[in-house]
Every structure is written in structure tokens, then in C-alpha cells.
């Protein structure tokens, strides 16, 4: 890197240690002809500079919808934000006007999408798409922006960046394309990156490389990172804390090592038990019984109760709140303490 | 790329031979004696008839006649009509008029069609969308001759916005506006609907979402990222349509008295002027083939994933 991207004068407004982004009791629903799907039902989490939050959950758990709402790229309609705040440096972005919001997108908060092949525009060269960030946000000339695009491609370790800058997305391999996506997100040196399943579409060997690159850049630049995934393996190495989502709620929130060693929610327990393990080779893999709930008919009480081995009458009647069960550990389960004790966490 | 173009051009030769022969054959099958037809109700002069039939090789079998025609074409001779006018001259007169008319129709089609389609696609399910859908449906359902007379009556005669009929022989650009509207209307409706569908579909595409997430202004997201991708199917239609606009103007040219290719072909058919019919249609075939090639090449420009070798 020859540019001065390491110095970040615009970040002085951030109070050290204070959360960069706070999602506070967010509610989002999708109003369709078939009915109302309650996608997010009171999600709260926060990310500080230099911190990695992993958001874990099955498809339909609301993890991507939360990310899209933060980015302001939720399709509205059918999506409707029915409550909550999303504060960036303490300011509620949901109350900002369109233009102010747009200037945060890409520049302060950037997003990395799952499938780079469809997320990149097929008819423009990667150089054009990278340079566009500088041309639009910083009014840079075509030539300067292109030079910066090449620097970006070097940054994400794409070989022969100079020769490849005019190539089109389809001419790159999956891993290289995802690097382009990362480069695009890094372009304006954002304070927060949201990565929505950044490695899901990649080969296992490439997954690790891409994840390492992302983690390295995040460390160097002291950015906040929200890593959305359903892959427990990806999370363990890079995340500081984990939020587990189920049916639009956070069911467990804990530092990464604590969560792995001693889950405090039956759903997390089930997820961990379903990871294939070498020492259990030959045995049937554990699977959480049942299916994720239909978001138009979320079960009463705890949404997980029909699938939960601990379920009692109270679980069918009352929604368990997310409460602190041990220092820095939160679980939304009526029997959280019991689950935690069983797993040796207290 | 160069080799691809050469191959495509070479492929045109058999297509051209096949189509001209088919047209020649069909016109031959129309029957009737063109020479006697020249005399109308009066009795034909046998000496003249014999002389003419000899001169125009009408006594030879079809295949020999076609051979004479083809060798003539290769030396640039499109043949001579029975009234003694070289077909090449007739084409030289009629084609520029039809090209001008087609270009006007084409311009209206692109500007109004793509514009309406973009508007409807961006506001799918809203009022503007319904207006575009209903209007295009009406335009598609109305036969061209009805639309032609209605436009001519209201815009040309009643309100006198534009000339109702073209100046005979050499129509001005202004003369061609009304026929241009009528000629382009059907395709305009198709272009609008095609654009609408394509835009609405691509609005949900991941790369449009990426463009928004990059913090680009909405105008740039739509014009740079959405429109370029959405126009690929529209360009295919437009390319094929430019050929059709030139050939398909028979009714329109008739209504507005435009002396273009459509009228030339129509009159030639009624008068059994075989050489004129074949010549005009053969020229249209070439226009079609060339337009198709241009569209295919344009494809590669619009979508870099397509490469020709």
C-alpha cells in the first residue's frame, strides 16, 4: 500500500471502547399477500471498533434481514420496520434522511455479500466497479480511481492486479471474486463491515484463505465486523462474541469461547452437537428434530419449544426474555441456568 | 471476432440464394401472363407479346430464368421491369424513403418505448405501471389500418399538427412523422413491455443491491447498473425490428401515400412485375441478414460474457 489509508482522521468522533453500532430492539416484518411474516422480533446487539460479532442462525432466522436493515437495502415494501433503533456513533440511522443515509453506505459501513458472482455486475469490469467507489464518493478522476482500484486488488492479494483490472467478474475464480468483493468493501476504509455469509459459496480450502484475509484486514484497520454465518466452524477462529438467532430473536449471546465450551440455550446446544466430530466417526450425526418455524405462524411462548428437549408448559405460554445468566452471557430460555449447569458453564 | 464476422458473412450467401429462389419461385407460381396484363381489357398484339416473351426469357423453364436473373445480379444488374425501368433505379428511389420512415419509427420506439418501460418497471404495481400496461395492450390490439386512419384523421386533418399525407415522390421528414408514429406503435408497445419486465426482474438482482450498498445515488444505480443489463433483450428485439419496419410498411405507406418499398412491392405484385418484386424483397433479405449480424455483435458489446470465436 502506498496510500495513507492507515491514518483515519475522520474516526476521531468515535469514543474509544464505545459501541460503533448498536441495534436496539429492532422489529421488522414482511407484509405480503399471504400474511405478515415477523422476520425480526426485538433484536439488540452492538459492535465496537476492532470487534467481531458473529451472528449465527439457520436460514430464515432473521440474521440477513437484520444486516440488510442496518445497511438500508431492505426491500420496502414488502419489508416494514415496525420498531427499534439502529444507532451509528450514537445517532439513529432510521431517522436520517435518504441522502445522509446513502453517504454512510459504502463509505462508513460496507457490506460483503454471499455470492460474488451475482453480487458483482456482470457487464462491467471489476476495475470499473472498484473505481466507482472513488469516483462517486470522492469525485476522483477516472485515471486516479483506476490506480486506486489496482492498489485495492493488490491489497486483497489478487495476483497480477494490473493486468486483471480490466477483466470481468466471470473471468475470475470464486475465491478471487470474493476477494474483489472484500476489496470493494475496503475501498473507502469503512469503520464497520457487514459480511453476509462471505465464504458460503466457496470451496472449503478457499474459505479459509478468504476468511483469514478478512480477519487480517479487520485487525489492521481496527474495524468493527459483523459476520453473518450458519457455519459454526468459520466463527470459532475469528469472532469475539456470538449472537445466536432463532425465529427473529437472539436466543443466546456470549463470548465465543464460552459459547462453544458451555452453551446456555438448548438451541445452541443442539447446533454444537450437530457438528461432525472425528472422535465420533461412524456414529449417526445429531440433528435437531423438527423444522424452523414458519414466520407467519411463530409458535406461542418460546419459538423453539416444539423442537426443544427441555420444553415444559411455561415454554408454550411465555416468551423467555434474554437475561444475563453469567457474566457477559445472555440466554433467552426459561431453563437457561439448568442448561448452563449441565454444560458446566457456571 | 474477425473470423466470426467473415463466417457470418459467408453464411449469408446460401441464405441469400435460397430466399431469392423461393421468392422467384413464388412469384412465378402466381400465374397470369404479365405481358397480356399490360394490355388490360384490350387484345394483345401477338408480335409484341412474342418479342417481349423472348426478351424477358419467359419461354424458358423456371430454373433457367432464375439463372439469368442470378448472373445478372452478380454483375450488379437487378433486371428491368416490363415497363422498361431498371429495377435498380426503382430501388434507389424507394429505399431511402423507407429507410427514413423506418428511422423515425425506430427513434419513437426507442425513446417512448424504453422510457415508458423504465417508468413502469421502476413503479411496478403502481398507477404509472397500470397506465403503461393498459395503453400498450390497446395499441397491440388495434389493427394498423385502423390506427393509421385514426391518427391521420385526428392529428393530420382535425388538429393539423403534422401533414396528413406525404408529398408524392420525395416526402420530407415532417411528412413522415405521422406514418412513423403509426408504423412504430406496435413495436413501441412490445419494447415498453419488454423493458418493463426486464427492469422489474433486474431490480431484484443482487448486483443492483450491491450498487445500492455501495452508496451510489439512485439515479446512478438505475442508469448505470440497472438499465444497461435490462436493455440486452430489448436490443435483440430492436435489431430484428428495424428490418421488419422497412418491410412491414405496406399498409402504413398506403394510408399516408408514402412512395417507399412497401408501396413499390405492393404495386409490383398487382402488375406482375416479377423482377421488381424479387429485387425489392432480395434487398430486404440482405437488410435483415445484416441487421441480425449487427445485433449479434452488439450483444457482445453489451454483455462481455458473450464472446465470439
Amino acid at each position: 500500500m502506498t496510500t495513507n489509508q492507515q491514518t483515519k482522521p475522520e474516526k476521531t468522533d468515535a469514543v474509544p471502547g464505545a459501541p460503533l453500532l448498536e441495534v436496539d430492539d429492532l422489529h421488522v416484518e414482511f407484509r405480503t399477500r399471504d400474511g405478515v411474516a415477523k422476520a425480526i422480533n426485538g433484536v439488540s446487539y452492538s459492535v465496537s471498533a476492532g470487534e467481531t460479532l458473529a451472528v449465527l442462525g439457520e436460514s430464515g432466522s432473521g440474521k440477513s434481514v437484520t444486516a440488510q436493515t442496518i445497511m438500508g437495502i431492505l426491500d420496502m415494501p414488502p419489508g416494514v420496520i415496525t420498531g427499534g433503533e439502529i444507532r451509528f456513533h450514537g445517532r439513529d440511522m432510521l431517522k436520517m434522511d435518504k441522502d445522509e443515509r446513502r453517504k454512510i453506505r459504502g463509505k462508513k459501513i460496507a457490506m460483503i455479500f454471499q455470492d460474488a458472482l451475482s453480487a458483482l455486475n456482470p457487464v462491467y469490469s471489476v476495475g470499473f466497479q472498484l473505481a466507482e467507489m472513488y469516483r462517486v464518493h470522492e469525485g476522483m478522476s477516472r485515471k486516479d480511481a483506476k490506480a486506486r482500484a489496482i492498489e485495492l486488488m493488490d491489497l486483497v492479494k489478487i495476483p497480477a492486479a494490473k493486468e486483471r483490472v480490466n477483466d470481468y467478474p466471470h473471468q475470475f475464480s470464486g475465491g478471487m471474486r470474493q476477494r474483489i468483493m472484500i476489496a470493494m468493501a475496503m475501498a473507502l476504509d469503512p469503520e464497520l463491515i457487514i459480511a453476509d455469509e462471505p465464504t458460503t459459496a466457496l470451496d472449503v480450502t478457499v474459505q479459509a484463505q478468504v476468511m483469514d484475509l478478512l480477519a487480517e484486514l479487520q485487525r489492521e484497520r481496527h474495524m468493527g465486523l459483523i459476520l453473518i454465518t450458519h457455519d459454526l466452524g468459520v466463527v470459532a477462529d475469528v469472532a469475539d462474541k456470538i449472537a445466536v438467532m432463532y425465529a427473529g430473536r437472539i436466543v443466546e449471546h456470549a463470548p465465543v469461547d464460552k459459547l462453544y465450551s458451555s452453551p446456555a440455550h438448548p438451541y445452541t446446544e443442539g447446533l454444537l452437537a450437530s457438528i461432525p466430530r472425528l472422535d465420533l466417526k461412524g456414529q449417526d450425526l445429531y440433528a435437531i428434530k423438527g423444522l424452523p418455524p414458519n414466520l407467519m405462524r411463530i409458535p406461542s411462548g418460546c419459538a423453539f419449544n416444539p423442537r426443544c428437549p427441555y420444553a415444559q408448559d411455561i415454554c408454550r405460554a411465555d416468551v423467555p426474555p434474554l437475561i444475563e445468566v453469567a457474566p457477559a452471557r445472555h440466554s433467552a430460555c426459561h431453563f437457561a441456568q439448568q442448561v448452563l449447569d449441565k454444560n458446566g458453564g457456571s | 471476432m474477425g473470423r466470426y464476422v467473415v463466417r457470418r458473412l459467408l453464411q449469408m450467401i446460401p441464405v441469400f440464394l435460397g430466399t431469392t429462389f423461393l421468392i422467384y419461385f413464388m412469384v412465378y407460381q402466381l400465374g397470369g401472363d404479365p405481358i397480356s396484363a399490360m394490355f388490360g381489357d384490350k387484345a394483345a398484339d401477338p408480335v409484341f407479346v412474342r418479342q417481349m416473351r423472348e426478351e424477358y426469357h419467359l419461354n424458358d423453364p423456371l430454373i433457367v430464368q432464375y439463372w439469368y436473373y442470378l448472373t445478372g445480379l452478380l454483375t450488379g444488374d437487378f433486371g428491368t421491369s416490363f415497363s422498361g425501368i431498371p429495377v435498380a433505379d426503382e430501388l434507389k428511389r424507394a429505399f431511402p424513403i423507407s429507410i427514413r420512415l423506418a428511422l423515425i419509427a425506430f427513434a419513437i420506439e426507442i425513446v417512448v418505448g424504453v422510457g415508458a418501460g423504465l417508468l413502469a418497471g421502476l413503479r411496478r404495481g403502481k398507477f404509472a405501471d397500470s397506465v403503461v400496461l393498459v395503453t400498450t395492450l390497446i395499441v397491440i390490439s388495434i389493427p394498423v389500418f385502423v390506427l393509421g386512419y385514426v391518427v391521420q384523421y385526428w392529428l393530420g386533418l382535425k388538429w393539423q399538427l403534422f401533414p396528413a399525407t406525404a408529398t408524392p415522390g420525395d416526402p420530407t421528414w415532417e411528412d413522415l412523422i405521422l406514418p412513423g408514429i403509426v408504423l412504430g406503435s406496435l413495436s413501441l408497445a412490445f419494447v415498453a413491455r419488454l423493458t418493463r419486465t426486464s427492469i422489474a426482474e433486474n431490480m431484484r438482482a443482487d448486483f443492483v443491491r450491491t450498487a445500492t450498498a455501495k452508496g451510489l445515488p439512485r439515479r446512478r444505480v438505475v442508469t448505470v447498473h440497472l438499465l444497461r443489463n435490462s436493455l440486452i433483450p430489448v436490443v435483440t428485439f430492436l435489431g430484428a425490428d428495424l428490418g421488419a419496419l422497412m418491410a412491414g410498411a405496406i399498409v402504413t405507406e398506403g394510408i399516408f401515400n408514402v412512395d417507399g418499398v412497401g408501396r413499390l412491392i405492393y404495386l409490383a405484385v398487382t402488375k406482375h412485375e416479377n423482377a421488381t418484386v424479387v429485387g425489392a424483397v432480395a434487398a430486404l433479405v440482405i437488410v435483415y441478414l445484416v441487421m441480425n449480424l449487427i445485433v449479434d455483435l452488439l450483444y457482445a458489446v453489451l454483455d462481455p460474457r458473450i464472446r465470439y470465436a
Side-chain angles (χ1 to χ4, degrees):
Chain A
M1 288 300 294
T2 53
T3 51
N4 57 343
Q5 293 207 344
Q6 304 297 338
T7 58
K8 301 169 185 177
E10 72 258 329
K11 284 191 185 173
T12 44
D13 51 339
V15 185
L20 191 62
L21 181 95
E22 295 162 275
V23 178
D24 190 0
D25 197 28
L26 187 68
H27 287 76
V28 175
E29 54 188 45
F30 290 100
R31 293 180 185 158
T32 66
R33 235 174 279 174
D34 305 324
V36 176
K38 300 198 175 233
I40 304 179
N41 307 298
V43 165
S44 304
Y45 57 60
S46 68
V47 192
S48 303
E51 189 179 41
T52 299
L53 166 74
V55 181
L56 205 71
E58 298 168 291
S59 323
S61 62
K63 55 193 197 302
S64 291
V65 176
T66 316
Q68 286 169 14
T69 313
I70 296 170
M71 267 325 265
I73 54 169
L74 186 69
D75 286 328
M76 298 197 286
V80 184
I81 299 167
T82 49
E85 286 188 354
I86 298 173
R87 290 188 294 270
F88 185 64
H89 287 304
R91 288 192 59 208
D92 187 2
M93 290 200 291
L94 298 178
K95 291 200 179 75
M96 289 179 187
D97 66 42
K98 265 186 186 169
D99 222 41
E100 199 177 355
R101 195 80 197 275
R102 178 177 69 73
K103 283 175 182 151
I104 293 177
R105 271 203 292 272
K107 196 175 171 80
K108 305 268 183 194
I109 306 179
M111 188 152 177
I112 298 167
F113 292 91
Q114 181 183 139
D115 181 6
L117 184 59
S118 61
L120 292 168
N121 194 329
V123 305
Y124 292 107
S125 70
V126 297
F128 176 91
Q129 296 185 58
L130 291 170
E132 199 177 23
M133 298 295 282
Y134 297 113
R135 288 176 52 203
V136 172
H137 284 279
E138 298 189 343
M140 220 179 257
S141 74
R142 217 170 257 269
K143 202 175 142 227
D144 293 347
K146 193 170 172 183
R148 293 292 293 273
I150 296 172
E151 282 174 18
L152 274 179
M153 288 169 74
D154 279 330
L155 175 75
V156 295
K157 304 186 178 84
I158 290 176
K162 219 174 221 144
E163 286 84 61
R164 302 218 65 185
V165 68
N166 291 323
D167 282 359
Y168 292 90
H170 70 275
Q171 292 167 305
F172 288 84
S173 68
M176 288 298 149
R177 266 199 298 268
Q178 196 55 275
R179 282 166 194 264
I180 300 279
M181 282 255 62
I182 293 175
M184 198 183 281
M186 296 294 162
L188 299 169
D189 205 12
E191 297 170 50
L192 178 69
I193 298 259
I194 302 174
D196 190 355
E197 313 222 7
T199 59
T200 307
L202 303 176
D203 286 343
V204 181
T205 46
V206 183
Q207 275 184 6
Q209 294 170 7
V210 170
M211 209 53 240
D212 287 348
L213 173 71
L214 189 58
E216 184 188 316
L217 289 169
Q218 186 239 354
R219 238 184 350 262
E220 274 174 15
R221 298 171 170 226
H222 203 62
M223 296 179 300
L225 174 65
I226 298 177
L227 181 65
I228 295 163
T229 182
H230 60 248
D231 187 342
L232 286 155
V234 168
V235 171
D237 301 331
V238 293
D240 299 310
K241 54 187 190 183
I242 298 189
V244 181
M245 285 189 71
Y246 189 81
R249 276 177 212 280
I250 291 178
V251 293
E252 181 167 2
H253 190 291
V256 66
D257 49 330
K258 295 275 172 33
L259 185 124
Y260 273 80
S261 60
S262 55
H265 192 281
Y267 178 60
T268 319
E269 197 181 45
L271 281 182
L272 291 172
S274 58
I275 299 176
R277 279 166 52 183
L278 265 182
D279 56 323
L280 297 179
K281 199 176 169 189
Q283 295 184 26
D284 280 348
L285 209 53
Y286 176 81
I288 302 173
K289 63 178 176 142
L291 291 169
N294 180 342
L295 294 175
M296 293 190 192
R297 283 187 300 276
I298 295 177
S300 63
C302 172
F304 188 59
N305 85 69
R307 307 172 72 183
C308 181
Y310 299 85
Q312 304 289 330
D313 283 343
I314 185 178
C315 301
R316 288 178 274 274
D318 297 334
V319 180
L322 188 67
I323 50 164
E324 190 157 22
V325 290
R329 303 208 47 181
H330 295 76
S331 171
C333 177
H334 294 298
F335 302 98
Q337 206 60 54
Q338 195 180 323
V339 178
L340 192 62
D341 289 344
K342 189 189 121 194
N343 294 309
S346 48
Chain B
M1 188 76 159
R3 282 184 54 187
Y4 174 79
V5 174
V6 170
R7 208 170 66 219
R8 284 287 299 265
L9 289 173
L10 288 176
Q11 278 172 358
M12 285 184 188
I13 296 172
V15 174
F16 181 76
L17 290 179
T19 45
T20 47
F21 179 76
L22 272 177
I23 301 156
Y24 208 91
F25 177 71
M26 284 191 284
V27 173
Y28 183 85
Q29 289 295 322
L30 275 176
D33 184 353
I35 308 299
S36 331
M38 292 171 78
F39 289 88
D41 290 341
K42 294 178 209 140
D45 173 5
V47 182
F48 177 75
V49 169
R50 204 176 321 122
Q51 205 181 338
M52 285 293 279
R53 293 191 70 87
E54 196 61 40
E55 197 183 327
Y56 286 89
H57 309 293
L58 292 182
N59 295 322
D60 293 324
L62 169 71
I63 196 79
V64 177
Q65 287 187 39
Y66 178 65
W67 177 250
Y68 280 123
Y69 180 74
L70 207 60
T71 46
L73 268 190
L74 289 181
T75 56
D77 177 14
F78 274 83
T80 311
S81 73
F82 295 122
S83 38
I85 306 165
V87 173
D89 287 355
E90 289 189 303
L91 296 181
K92 249 183 254 168
R93 186 192 54 74
F95 260 91
I97 298 173
S98 276
I99 289 173
R100 231 183 296 164
L101 178 59
L103 285 180
I104 290 178
F106 196 62
I108 294 172
E109 218 176 290
I110 292 177
V111 174
V112 183
V114 171
L118 179 64
L119 185 76
L122 289 176
R123 294 165 189 275
R124 195 154 77 146
K126 305 256 176 68
F127 181 71
D129 183 25
S130 309
V131 170
V132 170
L133 282 181
V134 170
T135 318
T136 50
L137 186 67
I138 292 171
V139 170
I140 291 171
S141 329
I142 297 179
V144 140
F145 60 89
V146 175
L147 187 71
Y149 285 119
V150 168
V151 166
Q152 188 177 43
Y153 178 74
W154 286 103
L155 299 183
L157 296 174
K158 202 99 189 197
W159 297 336
Q160 309 215 328
L161 294 175
F162 301 105
T165 52
T167 321
D170 187 28
T172 61
W173 286 95
E174 207 191 343
D175 288 345
L176 293 175
I177 289 179
L178 284 190
I181 291 174
V182 172
L183 183 62
S185 60
L186 182 65
S187 304
L188 185 155
F190 282 123
V191 167
R193 287 183 160 234
L194 208 54
T195 309
R196 170 190 179 269
T197 312
S198 192
I199 289 274
E201 199 176 295
N202 278 327
M203 282 255 284
R204 292 153 184 266
D206 287 351
F207 59 80
V208 172
R209 173 168 288 180
T210 308
T212 312
K214 282 163 88 175
L216 307 181
R218 169 132 173 108
R219 174 178 286 269
R220 188 176 170 93
V221 173
V222 170
T223 53
V224 176
H225 288 273
L226 178 59
L227 199 56
R228 164 101 178 250
N229 286 275
S230 304
L231 283 185
I232 295 170
V234 181
V235 165
T236 326
F237 176 82
L238 283 175
D241 196 50
L242 193 55
L245 284 179
M246 295 184 61
I250 295 179
V251 176
T252 313
E253 289 186 359
I255 293 172
F256 292 94
N257 200 28
V258 178
D259 277 328
V261 179
R263 247 173 102 73
L264 179 69
I265 294 175
Y266 171 73
L267 293 176
V269 169
T270 56
K271 286 193 211 153
H272 292 278
E273 290 283 11
N274 298 0
T276 310
V277 176
V278 179
V281 176
L284 285 176
V285 168
I286 292 178
V287 170
Y288 254 115
L289 291 176
V290 172
M291 285 314 300
N292 260 321
L293 177 59
I294 291 175
V295 167
D296 283 349
L297 295 181
L298 208 57
Y299 240 12
V301 176
L302 279 177
D303 189 344
R305 284 167 298 182
I306 296 167
R307 279 281 164 266
Y308 298 115

